[in-house]
Amino acid sequence: MTSTAVDFEAIKDKQRAGWQTGDYPRVGNTLQIIAELLVEAADVRAGQQVLDVACGQGNVAMAAARRFAEATGVDYAVNLLEQGRERAAAEHLPVTFTEGDAENLPLPDKAFDLVASTVGVMFAPNHQQAADELVRVTKPGGKIALASWTPAGMIGQLFKVVSKWAPPPAGVQPATLWGAEEHLFELFGDRVEWTALTKREYVFRYHSPEHFAEWFMDFYGPITRIAGSLDGEDYRHFASDLADVPRGFDYADDGSVAARAEYLEAVGTRR
């Protein structure tokens, strides 16, 4: 159980500062295919009300809008919302982007046909509160669809490396638990009937392990903040630790990186 003494608001303030560092969309945009697969798995329909929670630069919202759904994205990092608006404008997609906390969505009850998140809501520190909010804003009979990195996959290993350099706050559950079926059952109970729980792989493609490390240190906000606090030998060790992560999942034989990262695609119906 997560301790009630945990200061979730302070944790979210630090998280928000992390996402507002670097340039996360440079990483997040590469994950668009995860959102496309998720909205297909959820069978989104034209005209449906779709909510992308912890949307970042709006991957799910964009995918839903391409299918003529009425798409809204919500996130607490205003810089990411602004980039989402720029993306939507460039693609002539009518997406609404709204500032808001995944644990306290500024949206009415039972308002959406589909509530979805790709590797976003999993980072909310209060897992139960975030799950409760997903259920609250979904219409009965509507769907909840999530794509979450698994604990044993490559990104789970990346987060273990990161936690060595910046230990997570005491009492906060690992984000990758959202990628475990048992955790979803605990969070949502009998409020959601999971109709599809599918392990998928996203392939991270970079020039080299060192390029992977450099890219994340430059653009992935939480990692950028850690890198910015290091110098000299510590900086080089951190970069080396990051570069080692894709090596264990890489199937490329030409010197580049093609590293498989497992995630759980979960689609369920809100009872």
Side-chain angles (χ1 to χ4, degrees), residues 28-111:
N29 289 347
T30 69
L31 307 178
Q32 183 65 42
I33 191 173
I34 297 177
E36 303 293 339
L37 291 170
L38 186 66
V39 298
E40 283 298 305
D43 194 28
V44 68
R45 307 292 176 86
Q48 286 187 327
Q49 295 291 325
V50 175
L51 178 64
D52 182 359
V53 178
C55 67
Q57 75 288 352
N59 285 0
V60 167
M62 302 275 286
R66 289 191 192 98
R67 293 156 177 81
F68 303 101
E70 302 295 324
T72 300
V74 61
D75 201 287
Y76 63 8
V78 294
N79 60 319
L80 303 185
L81 294 173
E82 187 56 37
Q83 292 205 41
R85 294 184 186 105
E86 292 173 1
R87 291 181 74 204
E91 296 195 32
H92 306 287
L93 294 173
V95 179
T96 300
F97 287 94
T98 301
E99 182 180 356
D101 180 354
E103 296 176 7
N104 186 22
L105 293 169
L107 298 162
D109 296 352
K110 304 175 183 178

Side-chain angles (χ1 to χ4, degrees), residues 2 14 36 49 79 112 138 155 230 243 246:
T2 301
K14 292 181 179 179
E36 303 293 339
Q49 295 291 325
N79 60 319
F112 294 91
T138 306
I155 301 303
L230 304 173

